[in-house]
Amino acid sequence: MTVPGGPPAVVLVGPPGAGKSTTGRILADRLGVGYRDTDADIEATAGKPIPDIFVDHGEPHFRALESAAVRDALAGHGGVLALGGGAIMDAGTRALLDGLPVVFLDVGLHSAVHRVGLDAPRPLLAVNPRQRWRELMEARRPLYTEVALAVVPTDDRTPEDVADAVLDALQLKDA
């Protein structure tokens, strides 16, 4: 369906707990393409988990790594690509996403808490995670919708149902 080094078949964006990783793997399997997650790319490049990058080097360093990881993945991965929750904060990243098959996996706080727990090691959610999650979503939601060709709600849906909705939204159901 895609050229290995071509543009991604699907790009998933959304907050922690939206189901990007789980849905991304299902989509990749259904489309017969590879799956890639820019957060995993960042950890591989840095040689340490993302929370450690934040602690050891700060958020600006992490964001620079993230921007480079997204740029590399968009240029060299023809499969399903999941971006970290904050990747869309970078204007350069949003510009690179223009015209690509981007889907915003939208999730409410209750479902996000249930899926990932807000006590997980997520640097930006370390203090008052529920309030911080709401604040992050308030800032990010307009950017997620700006880059997305489609918005797929994930609350109260199985990952398989979400994958079906993504394929339907991108008209890839029979691909």
Side-chain angles (χ1 to χ4, degrees):
M1 155 155 205
T2 60
V3 177
V10 179
V11 179
L12 300 176
V13 298
K20 297 181 302 287
S21 297
T22 303
T23 301
R25 287 184 186 95
I26 293 168
L27 287 168
D29 184 56
R30 289 188 184 173
L31 295 170
V33 298
Y35 169 75
R36 188 167 173 181
D37 182 324
T38 58
D39 280 350
D41 291 351
I42 294 164
E43 290 183 339
T45 298
K48 60 178 81 175
I50 288 172
D52 291 352
I53 298 169
F54 269 78
V55 169
D56 296 345
H57 306 285
E59 185 176 357
H61 178 74
F62 169 77
R63 295 298 173 199
L65 292 174
E66 182 175 55
S67 178
V70 170
R71 213 172 28 256
D72 291 347
L74 289 173
H77 181 69
V80 176
L81 178 62
L83 302 189
I88 48 80
M89 298 299 290
D90 180 73
T93 293
R94 292 194 307 276
L96 290 172
L97 293 172
D98 187 41
L100 295 179
V102 179
V103 177
F104 166 27
L105 298 185
D106 196 4
V107 64
L109 175 62
H110 178 75
S111 291
V113 169
H114 175 73
R115 291 178 187 168
V116 298
L118 293 183
D119 59 348
R122 297 182 184 272
L124 294 181
L125 300 177
V127 178
N128 197 345
R130 292 172 192 266
Q131 179 181 337
R132 186 67 180 131
W133 192 92
R134 283 188 191 103
E135 291 167 356
L136 288 173
M137 279 304 292
E138 188 175 302
R140 293 176 180 179
R141 183 176 301 283
L143 301 176
Y144 289 137
T145 57
E146 173 188 321
V147 301
L149 291 179
V151 177
V152 173
T154 66
D155 289 344
D156 302 319
R157 296 173 100 168
T158 67
E160 292 77 13
D161 289 342
V162 173
D164 285 341
V166 169
L167 293 173
D168 286 343
L170 296 177
Q171 300 178 348
L172 297 173
K173 189 70 171 185
D174 297 320

